[in-house]
């Protein structure tokens, strides 16, 4: 069995002007594809040869984990966006955000702070913990909160390759743009 690069659920220019088609060409077409290709090469003849991607993310170490988690993380990242512009949570999810963060604005400020101030390469996550409380967590490099038993609801890729073509060193500008793309109906669909 081998993994394939999942199709994007929108056209490469659908996220303009916030994420350019050029960034999609490299970030999705080159970086994400390379993680898929490397993972397939690494799992041949190992215990993970026929494993589900989630099992690789939760159980693997070293290069198999790094490439497997990067495949999972990027797919999850791309599948958080749409051209529908559902840019605010509603219903049960909004109620949970207000319960645990005070307001959606306070949540956004805390999430952006985690993303902007993560040192080096990694991911900012919005998760639900096993006790059903909501959390904002940072992971370095390929890290993924599934390994701590948390349910990922949303993530932001803050590796420089995610924003350098469009925003150069300005990670805060990339975060400001990110909020225009998140489809909160998709985020709500990930609640357990
Ligand atoms: Mn990336």
């Amino acid at each position: 069995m081998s993994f394939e690069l999942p199709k994007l659920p929108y056209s490469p220019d659908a996220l303009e002007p916030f994420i350019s088609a050029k960034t999609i060409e490299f970030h999705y077409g080159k970086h994400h594809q390379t993680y898929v290709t490397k993972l397939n090469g690494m799992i041949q003849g190992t215990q993970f040869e026929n494993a589900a991607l989630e099992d690789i993310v939760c159980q693997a170490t070293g290069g198999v984990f790094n490439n497997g988690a990067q495949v999972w993380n990027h797919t999850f990242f791309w599948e958080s966006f749409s051209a529908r512009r559902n840019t605010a949570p509603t219903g049960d999810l909004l109620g949970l955000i207000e319960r645990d963060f005070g307001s959606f604005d306070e949540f956004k400020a805390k999430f952006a702070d985690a993303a902007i101030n993560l040192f080096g390469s990694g991911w900012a996550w919005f998760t639900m913990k096993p006790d059903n409380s909501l959390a904002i967590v940072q992971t370095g490099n390929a890290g993924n909160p599934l390994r701590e038993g948390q349910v990922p609801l949303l993530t932001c890729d803050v590796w420089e390759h995610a924003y350098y073509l469009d925003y150069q060193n300005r990670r805060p500008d990339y975060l400001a743009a990110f909020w225009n793309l998140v489809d909160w109906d998709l985020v709500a669909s990930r609640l357990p």
Side-chain angles (χ1 to χ4, degrees), residues 27-28 31-32 35 70 73-74 77-78 122-123 157-162 174:
H27 192 189
Y28 168 73
H31 289 277
H32 195 173
Y35 294 127
Q70 284 294 78
N73 295 357
H74 281 87
F77 175 70
W78 299 126
W123 302 78
D157 185 346
V158 295
W159 285 56
E160 280 191 347
H161 68 224
Y174 164 63

Side-chain angles (χ1 to χ4, degrees), residues 101 104-120 122-126 135-139 154 156 158 171-176 178-179:
F101 297 99
F104 181 50
D105 282 345
E106 286 181 69
F107 161 81
K108 284 205 293 185
K110 282 186 178 149
F111 184 94
D113 184 65
I116 291 164
N117 293 311
L118 191 156
F119 187 80
W123 302 78
W125 300 87
F126 172 40
I136 291 168
V137 297
Q138 299 169 315
T139 62
L154 176 68
C156 184
V158 295
R171 197 188 285 184
D173 290 357
Y174 164 63
L175 258 293
F178 174 79
W179 298 123

